[in-house]
């Protein structure tokens, strides 16, 4: 299916608004890239390191707006800077005990320096529109960002978050904390896009500290605006769920459910569901 086919079938009124908080991790293409490249989504990228901005502009051109704010609860904070390649810089101090539990993390989580920063609430960023999709990986700061971004997320269709099963930082919210908050605000889990395990110290598997046995470490989880009984959902929000489910995660069943419900309500042509299945099957 061409990227624009479903957008036109859904008769969406505007491109979607996507935000990526922690956008500098460009090791692999983010799930929303095809939508942004096709002009069907506008990217709002957050990165407090100005050295990353040129790469973002080169990748997305005028389809990206860059925000330099450190997202949080709006209070002054300390940023604990680890080596850039570790990906472990955080607003939370690394936990010595939890790092020592896993092979290799005492070195990976070593703090090189501390930096005083001012954090900004998502809801206080005037140039940031209401969001349709949020991706966030900020090393434990996800829950604070969510709690202080409820207005920007009021119409959000899907959220992709990094969550921790064994937090590596002092006071870091766990997967359970985030899951309770998300469910309390009208979302349910949809899928894991990545599930990371890690080996427990001091036992090594095949001499490689990155080769795990069974201990869960963290995951990328996707939440969707509750689709079980979506009677109160705005039609445009349901259309956003359908577009994101299909193009970001190839969740044909979730997209199809939204389209069938919209057709039953008269928000889409009566044959929209059949047309969607035909588009899917044409490239199967």
């Amino acid at each position: 299916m061409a990227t624009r086919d479903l957008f036109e079938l859904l008769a969406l009124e505007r491109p979607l608004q996507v935000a990526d908080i922690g956008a500098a991790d460009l090791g692999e293409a983010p799930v929303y890239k095809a939508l942004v490249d096709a002009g069907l989504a506008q990217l709002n990228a957050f990165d407090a390191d100005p050295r990353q901005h040129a790469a973002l502009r080169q990748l997305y051109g005028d389809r990206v707006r860059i925000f330099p704010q450190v997202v949080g609860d709006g209070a002054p904070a300390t940023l604990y800077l680890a080596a850039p390649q570790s990906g472990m810089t955080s607003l939370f101090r690394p936990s010595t005990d939890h790092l020592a539990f896993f092979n290799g993390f005492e070195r990976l989580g070593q703090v090189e320096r501390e930096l005083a920063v001012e954090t900004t609430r998502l809801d206080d960023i005037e140039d940031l529109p209401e969001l349709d999709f949020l991706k966030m990986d900020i090393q434990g700061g996800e829950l604070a960002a969510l709690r202080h971004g409820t207005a920007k997320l009021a119409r959000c269709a899907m959220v992709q978050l990094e969550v921790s099963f064994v937090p590596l930082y002092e006071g870091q919210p766990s997967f359970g904390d985030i899951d309770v908050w998300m469910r309390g605000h009208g979302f349910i889990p949809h899928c894991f896009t990545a599930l990371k395990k890690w080996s427990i110290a001091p036992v090594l598997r095949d001499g490689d500290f990155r080769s795990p046995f069974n201990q869960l470490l963290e995951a990328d989880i996707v939440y969707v605006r509750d689709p079980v009984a979506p009677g109160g959902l705005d039609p445009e929000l349901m259309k956003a769920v359908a577009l994101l489910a299909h193009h970001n995660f190839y969740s044909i069943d979730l997209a199809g459910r939204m389209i069938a419900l919209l057709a039953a309500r008269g928000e889409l042509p009566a044959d929209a569901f059949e047309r969607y299945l035909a588009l899917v099957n044409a490239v199967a």
Side-chain angles (χ1 to χ4, degrees):
M1 178 190 299
T3 308
R4 187 167 289 276
D5 289 344
L6 182 53
F7 187 89
E8 293 175 352
L9 174 63
L10 292 167
L12 277 156
E13 298 177 353
R14 55 171 176 80
L16 300 187
Q17 291 292 337
V18 170
D20 191 340
I21 304 177
D25 184 12
L26 302 175
E28 58 185 41
V31 295
Y32 54 75
K33 188 174 186 300
L35 290 175
V36 175
D37 287 347
L40 305 183
Q42 173 75 36
L43 175 59
N44 302 276
F46 283 79
D47 200 286
D49 185 347
R51 296 172 298 179
Q52 305 292 344
H53 296 178
L56 287 166
R57 289 194 180 94
Q58 182 176 4
L59 191 60
Y60 294 107
D62 61 3
R63 298 182 299 278
V64 62
R65 285 182 293 232
I66 297 177
F67 294 83
Q69 292 91 335
V70 177
V71 176
D73 61 5
T78 299
L79 188 64
Y80 297 93
L81 293 155
Q85 63 271 22
S86 74
M88 294 188 67
T89 292
S90 176
L91 290 172
F92 291 85
R93 184 189 298 275
S95 167
T96 302
D97 290 341
H98 287 85
L99 291 175
F101 179 71
F102 292 104
N103 284 307
F105 270 102
E106 286 181 290
R107 176 172 57 83
L108 291 172
Q110 186 174 357
V111 175
E112 295 186 343
R113 65 188 180 99
E114 300 178 11
L115 180 66
V117 296
E118 296 289 334
T119 67
T120 303
R121 295 165 14 112
L122 273 181
D123 282 346
D124 291 338
I125 302 174
E126 294 183 0
D127 292 341
L128 182 67
E130 288 188 351
L131 300 175
D132 299 293
F133 178 71
L134 170 65
K135 181 180 181 294
M136 186 160 43
D137 178 359
I138 48 175
Q139 298 301 304
E142 291 82 5
L143 187 55
L146 291 167
R147 284 173 171 165
H148 298 279
T150 53
K152 299 297 185 183
L153 299 175
R155 294 171 52 81
C156 194
M158 301 185 83
V159 177
Q160 180 178 343
L161 302 168
E162 183 182 71
V163 295
S164 292
F165 301 106
V166 182
L168 298 177
Y169 305 92
E170 296 175 5
Q172 177 188 0
S174 69
F175 166 52
D177 298 321
I178 290 175
D179 189 63
V180 168
W181 192 94
M182 292 297 291
R183 290 175 185 271
H185 288 78
F187 293 87
I188 64 168
H190 175 57
C191 66
F192 287 110
T193 62
L195 183 64
K196 183 183 289 186
K197 299 178 181 180
W198 207 271
S199 63
I200 299 171
V203 179
L204 293 177
R205 186 171 191 169
D206 301 324
D208 181 2
F209 73 91
R210 296 179 184 273
S211 181
F213 290 92
N214 293 310
Q215 178 59 53
L216 294 170
L217 174 61
E218 60 194 18
D220 274 9
I221 186 171
V222 177
Y223 285 88
V224 61
R225 190 71 67 172
D226 194 342
V228 176
L233 294 186
D234 179 272
E236 292 301 305
L237 192 153
M238 294 173 68
K239 292 178 182 181
V241 169
L243 189 71
L244 293 163
H246 180 97
H247 284 297
N248 283 12
F249 308 108
Y250 204 62
S251 295
I252 303 302
D253 50 352
L254 177 56
R257 175 177 172 83
M258 293 295 102
I259 292 168
L261 288 170
L262 287 162
R265 289 190 196 178
E267 299 289 348
L268 289 177
D271 65 345
F273 178 66
E274 288 74 21
R275 289 165 58 192
Y276 172 63
L277 294 183
L279 288 169
V280 171
N281 292 329
V283 295

